[in-house]
Amino acid sequence: MNAQELKNSILQLAIQGKLVEQREEEGTAKELLDQINEEKLNMIKEKKIKKHKKLLDITTKEIPFDIPVNWEWVRHNNLLEIIGGSQPPKAFFSDVKKDGYIRLYQIRDYGSKPVPVYVPKDKVSKFTNKGDVLLARYGASVGKVFIAEEGAYNVAMAKSHRLFTSSELIDSKYMYYYYLAPLYQSLVRQNSRSAQAGFNKDDLDSLLFPLPPIREQKRIVAKIEELLPYIEQYNKAYLEVEKLNKKFPEDMQKSILQYAIQGKLVEQREEEGAAEELYQEIQEEKKRLIEEGKIKKTKALPEISEDEIPFNVPESWKWVSIGQTCANVMYGTSKKSSKSGEVPVLRMGNLQNGKIDYNNLVYTSDKKEVEKYKLEENDLLFNRTNSQELVGKTAIYKKEQPAIFAGYLVKFTPILVNSDYLNYVMQSDYYWRYCQTVRSDAIGQSNINAEKLKRFIFPLPPLNEQKRIVRKIEEILLYAQQLKS
């Protein structure tokens, strides 16, 4: 339940007679209603008001909820009428008060950014006293309720006016909170005319008003206003919890990936061997592929020093670099793509959260380009040029459809390293901190070249442990995604 829902619940309890207790010594609403009707008759006799049309008696089916026995259900329009405001021509508007001018209040003036406007008093005919109740009548503002200041008001609002003289028979603040409660709100928001023409007093003929004795009205108002600061405190706490809830899956993922690359997510198993053995196998495999002409020989990278190692990992693991464990590090095509063609050309926008997003594709039909830049299953793509926040993002290609890659991307192929494991390493905070450290900034964009990519060092577990880590990550991230949704 958010703060507005909590407030609505309190207002609903208020107009149901459940917010404060009933007191016998305060009399009944029937006695109050008799006073109101007597005043109305006297005013009609004295020709101070016109006789209003007779409204239908309230039927049992119309009553929306039970109220205390000392309360009365009354038709809204038998107690109150709404009076629309004035709309003088804008030619008379002034942003400075002058002699003979009066403040013309508009809906915006009851918000956080009022813009005072003054008009000649003889150009308006509808006025409010401080404390009157104003109702917004049009469009997105329908349902807003304001405590008026002294002045005039425009046609976007209507004043709720008592059909009798004594203000001590219905409390203005009780009226205000009544209009904020769901009974009134649901009626005007469902009124199809409100969005354009605005509602008028006839639209409220069916609206019912739960009338308590006057002293109970005042106690209800006092109780509501006692509770409002708590609602505000609740709102702050609720928004903070909402913020944490939205952030929790992201924070959880960061923690999971950090645990994973530190060897804390799954146990180590002696029978799975050591990463040193895997590393030697990788070097042998690379040597074989070079001899067969399948990959190019590259310049050997320097050994990783103790000073470069950022955190401890299990004894069976080994720190290695991309350059030591991957091959086929190459930039993508620089040729212009088309909106249609035979093969998709993946661009940096297609790398999203470690995966390939196949929306907003461009294409090529150039067979030479397709042959040179075609992707193989489990290739990784690295975004070498982007904004400061996004440069370095990666995604794994799972051969969902044939594709090549564009020039702002770098392809690299892990050798005897689980591509999913390496891709998760490159979603971690540890990896992102590396990217922020090595990027080169220019106007509007940042760059990390292939050489810097090759020098990125990461913790290498035995191959079977890599696979178990991937399974555990995906199991937990699925749960985190469910929390997010």
Side-chain angles (χ1 to χ4, degrees):
M1 178 184 288
N2 62 31
Q4 185 57 55
E5 291 167 340
L6 176 60
K7 185 176 181 180
N8 289 345
S9 297
I10 289 169
L11 295 174
Q12 184 62 30
L13 289 172
I15 65 171
Q16 284 184 264
K18 295 180 177 180
L19 197 60
V20 301
E21 78 283 2
Q22 284 68 55
R23 297 175 181 173
E24 190 175 348
E25 67 270 20
E26 291 179 348
T28 67
K30 176 69 170 62
E31 296 163 352
L32 183 62
L33 193 54
D34 288 343
Q35 285 181 261
I36 290 170
N37 287 333
E38 185 179 345
E39 275 204 20
K40 285 172 63 180
L41 284 173
N42 289 335
M43 291 173 71
I44 291 168
K45 286 177 185 177
E46 294 169 7
K47 297 185 179 180
K48 291 181 178 178
I49 61 170
K50 292 181 181 179
K51 187 174 183 179
H52 286 70
K53 68 177 181 181
K54 182 174 174 58
L55 299 176
L56 296 174
D57 291 337
I58 298 170
T59 66
T60 304
K61 288 183 179 179
E62 288 181 276
I63 294 174
F65 46 80
D66 292 333
I67 55 175
V69 292
N70 64 330
W71 288 31
E72 290 289 329
W73 279 112
V74 191
R75 289 207 183 275
H76 173 277
N77 286 0
N78 277 334
L79 295 173
L80 307 160
E81 68 174 338
I82 62 167
I83 302 171
S86 310
Q87 192 62 46
K90 287 191 176 180
F92 293 104
F93 283 19
S94 170
D95 57 2
V96 178
K97 189 173 182 180
K98 306 175 185 177
D99 288 342
Y101 276 61
I102 191 171
R103 175 81 178 267
L104 177 68
Y105 281 92
Q106 303 173 77
I107 288 174
R108 68 188 179 191
D109 295 320
Y110 290 102
S112 59
K113 296 180 179 179
V115 182
V117 167
Y118 301 89
V119 295
K121 194 168 184 178
D122 60 2
K123 297 298 179 184
V124 289
S125 57
K126 307 295 170 58
F127 305 95
T128 55
N129 294 314
K130 188 177 179 66
D132 284 343
V133 178
L134 286 170
L135 310 173
R137 298 173 61 201
Y138 293 103
S141 294
V142 164
K144 291 184 178 179
V145 187
F146 313 107
I147 300 291
E149 297 293 333
E150 186 172 343
Y153 61 101
N154 75 351
V155 292
M157 295 184 284
K159 179 173 74 172
S160 180
H161 175 71
R162 299 176 184 84
L163 293 172
F164 44 90
T165 54
S166 176
S167 61
E168 287 303 309
L169 299 179
I170 299 182
D171 186 86
S172 293
K173 282 287 190 74
Y174 179 77
M175 290 164 54
Y176 171 74
Y177 290 119
Y178 160 76
Y179 286 121
L180 286 174
L183 188 62
Y184 166 79
Q185 292 289 322
S186 59
L187 185 142
V188 294
R189 290 178 187 276
Q190 291 168 13
N191 187 321
S192 60
R193 294 178 64 253
S194 298
Q196 295 178 349
F199 65 85
N200 58 38
K201 63 182 179 182
D202 292 337
D203 294 319
L204 303 185
D205 280 348
S206 64
L207 181 62
L208 302 185
F209 190 98
L211 182 67
I214 183 62
R215 284 193 284 170
E216 188 172 341
Q217 291 177 38
K218 292 181 183 297
R219 286 192 295 112
I220 289 169
V221 168
K223 178 57 72 173
I224 291 171
E225 295 187 342
E226 178 189 331
L227 294 173
L228 287 178
Y230 295 103
I231 296 173
E232 183 57 34
Q233 290 175 27
Y234 174 86
N235 185 49
K236 290 177 182 176
Y238 178 86
L239 293 175
E240 189 62 31
V241 169
E242 283 288 285
K243 183 179 175 182
L244 289 172
N245 283 342
K246 287 178 182 177
K247 201 167 177 285
F248 175 70
E250 181 184 338
D251 288 346
M252 183 179 180
Q253 176 169 327
K254 288 178 181 177
S255 297
I256 298 300
L257 295 179
Q258 189 60 34
Y259 261 65
I261 64 175
Q262 286 183 296
K264 297 178 180 179
L265 195 62
V266 301
E267 78 282 4
Q268 284 70 54
R269 296 176 182 174
E270 191 175 347
E271 66 270 20
E272 290 179 346
E276 180 61 44
E277 298 165 3
L278 175 60
Y279 178 73
Q280 295 304 325
E281 290 177 35
I282 292 169
Q283 302 316 306
E284 289 297 321
E285 180 66 10
K286 286 180 75 174
K287 183 178 177 182
R288 183 183 67 80
L289 292 172
I290 291 168
E291 289 173 353
E292 293 176 3
K294 293 181 178 178
I295 64 172
K296 292 180 180 179
K297 185 174 182 178
T298 56
K299 183 180 177 181
L301 294 172
E303 291 296 317
I304 298 166
S305 69
E306 288 291 329
D307 292 341
E308 292 179 88
I309 295 174
F311 49 82
N312 293 327
V313 294
E315 288 184 7
S316 58
W317 289 27
K318 181 179 176 65
W319 283 96
V320 296
S321 67
I322 294 290
Q324 291 170 334
T325 54
C326 298
N328 298 326
V329 180
M330 64 181 293
Y331 293 89
T333 178
S334 58
K335 285 200 173 180
K336 191 173 180 180
S337 305
S338 306
K339 290 185 178 180
S340 60
E342 295 177 5
V343 178
V345 181
L346 301 179
R347 299 175 294 172
M348 59 185 181
N350 299 115
L351 276 57
Q352 298 291 336
N353 302 314
K355 297 179 181 178
I356 305 294
D357 181 347
Y358 288 95
N359 292 309
N360 300 316
L361 291 172
V362 293
Y363 298 86
T364 185
S365 297
D366 187 322
K367 293 190 180 342
K368 288 183 179 179
E369 291 288 293
V370 171
E371 181 60 30
K372 183 177 181 180
Y373 297 104
K374 69 179 177 181
L375 291 164
E376 300 293 343
E377 187 171 7
N378 290 323
D379 279 345
L380 288 169
L381 290 172
F382 167 85
N383 183 195
R384 67 182 179 91
T385 302
N386 208 320
S387 66
Q388 290 183 1
E389 297 79 17
L390 296 177
V391 66
K393 65 179 178 173
T394 65
I396 188 168
Y397 174 69
K398 288 293 187 179
K399 208 173 182 178
E400 296 90 344
Q401 56 182 291
I404 67 170
F405 58 107
Y408 280 162
L409 301 180
V410 177
K411 179 194 81 168
F412 58 104
T413 305
I415 305 295
L416 300 181
V417 175
N418 185 283
S419 292
D420 291 292
Y421 169 76
L422 184 50
N423 190 37
Y424 280 128
V425 170
M426 300 177 87
Q427 309 305 313
S428 70
D429 261 5
Y430 162 64
Y431 167 76
W432 282 107
R433 286 196 298 272
Y434 175 79
C435 290
Q436 295 304 304
T437 302
V438 301
R439 71 168 197 255
S440 300
D441 296 333
I443 298 172
Q445 65 181 21
S446 297
N447 181 269
I448 301 173
N449 62 33
E451 289 307 309
K452 291 175 180 177
L453 169 63
K454 290 178 186 178
R455 290 177 180 273
F456 170 65
I457 66 170
F458 66 95
L460 180 72
L463 187 56
N464 283 336
E465 189 172 344
Q466 293 175 41
K467 293 174 183 177
R468 288 191 293 112
I469 289 170
V470 167
R471 287 197 296 270
K472 180 57 72 173
I473 289 172
E474 292 179 346
E475 176 189 327
I476 297 173
L477 292 186
L478 179 62
Y479 174 68
Q481 190 60 39
Q482 289 170 350
L483 287 178
K484 192 174 182 179
S485 58

